[in-house]
Amino acid sequence: MNEKKEVGEKAVDFVKEGMVVGLGTGTTVLYTISKLGKLVQQGFYIKGIPTSKQTEKLAIEVGIPLVSFNEIDHIDLAIDGADEVNRELDLIKGGGGALLREKIIAKAAKNFIVVADSQKVVNQLGSFPLPVEVVPFGFEMTMKHIRELGGSPKLRQKNKLPYITDNGNYIIDCVFSELKFPEYLEKRINMIPGVVDNGLFIGMADIVITLDRDKNITIYKRGQDLIST
């Protein structure tokens, strides 16, 4: 059973004709985009706005018409994955390096749907290192300030060089021994000079599509308790 495919394709049920859809980044929402592309090829009309260059390339390949922010005045629905989701539907995102654009699009959307396989559901956020997007200038000092908040930061690398986001920034992956107050931590990290944004998405997800312990697709809405499997 391919859990990512199951939940990724299920999200398509929420997409209606004529919508402007935020298209997320990652291995789960890839299935959402692929299925949307097949529908578009059959005459289903939507407009997409991608969260990354990687997603933009995929959307073009499958035939989804794309728009930019200067062409629209709203986003009806954003669909994206998560690296972790807790029982309150709060998230850690950014493993794929697109957290800033993902957060901009999720915040702009009337509804934000998260697709996550059962392994991503946790009782407490923090096992997955928290990605923080930072400007390159002075990143060493930014890391020092993160340490002062109790984090263990590590500069993300690719081919032994700093990983560069679509926005030209670095990503610092931060391990926190305890992440009991994610809303507080999100704000404290974003107050550090040099930080652009971080991968804590607090109070943003309206719906989470995942699987229960019996591997049945389950849909949780904000306000419902999502219990880890």
Side-chain angles (χ1 to χ4, degrees), residues 3-216:
E3 290 194 12
K4 294 177 184 289
K5 186 174 188 292
E6 290 277 329
V7 298
E9 292 187 345
K10 181 64 178 176
V12 175
D13 291 351
F14 291 85
V15 180
K16 307 303 180 186
E17 186 100 26
M19 277 187 168
V20 177
V21 183
L23 304 173
T25 297
T27 55
T28 305
V29 77
L30 178 151
Y31 292 103
T32 310
I33 296 169
S34 297
K35 186 172 180 179
L36 282 173
K38 291 177 182 176
L39 292 176
V40 168
Q41 291 165 23
Q42 296 168 10
F44 188 72
Y45 180 70
I46 59 169
K47 295 177 182 177
I49 184 162
T51 56
S52 65
K53 293 178 180 177
Q54 174 189 341
T55 294
E56 179 181 3
K57 182 175 182 291
L58 174 61
I60 291 170
E61 287 174 357
V62 301
I64 298 174
L66 297 181
V67 292
S68 60
F69 275 104
N70 63 2
E71 298 174 84
I72 60 172
D73 58 11
H74 71 283
I75 298 174
D76 295 292
L77 178 68
I79 303 171
D80 212 339
D83 298 300
E84 284 187 343
V85 52
N86 69 7
R87 60 194 302 156
E88 289 83 23
L89 275 58
D90 294 329
L91 319 169
I92 285 181
K93 291 178 51 55
L99 69 95
L100 178 59
R101 297 190 186 193
E102 289 173 340
K103 189 174 278 191
I104 289 171
I105 286 176
K107 181 67 174 179
K110 292 180 180 178
N111 287 286
F112 177 35
I113 293 179
V114 174
V115 288
D117 63 74
S118 60
Q119 300 303 310
K120 304 293 177 62
V121 179
V122 298
N123 284 313
Q124 182 174 304
L125 300 176
S127 295
F128 190 92
L130 174 63
V132 180
E133 184 160 344
V134 305
V135 297
F137 179 80
F139 77 90
E140 300 92 343
M141 188 57 66
T142 307
M143 292 175 69
K144 176 179 180 295
H145 292 313
I146 291 173
R147 288 190 193 97
E148 291 170 354
L149 290 180
S152 298
K154 182 178 181 181
L155 181 66
R156 186 180 297 186
Q157 295 189 328
K158 184 178 181 180
N159 299 324
K160 298 184 179 179
L161 294 171
Y163 174 90
I164 305 296
T165 70
D166 287 347
N167 314 300
N169 297 318
Y170 291 170
I171 285 187
I172 298 172
D173 293 304
C174 308
V175 175
F176 288 86
S177 58
E178 288 190 342
L179 213 165
K180 292 183 178 179
F181 306 102
E183 183 176 3
Y184 172 78
L185 185 63
E186 179 189 27
K187 293 176 180 177
R188 285 296 305 272
I189 290 174
N190 282 353
M191 290 174 64
I192 297 172
V195 169
V196 182
D197 213 324
N198 69 79
L200 284 166
F201 284 53
I202 308 302
M204 296 185 73
D206 296 296
I207 291 173
V208 170
I209 303 174
T210 186
L211 293 99
D212 62 20
R213 58 173 52 89
D214 297 317
K215 303 304 180 185
N216 298 312

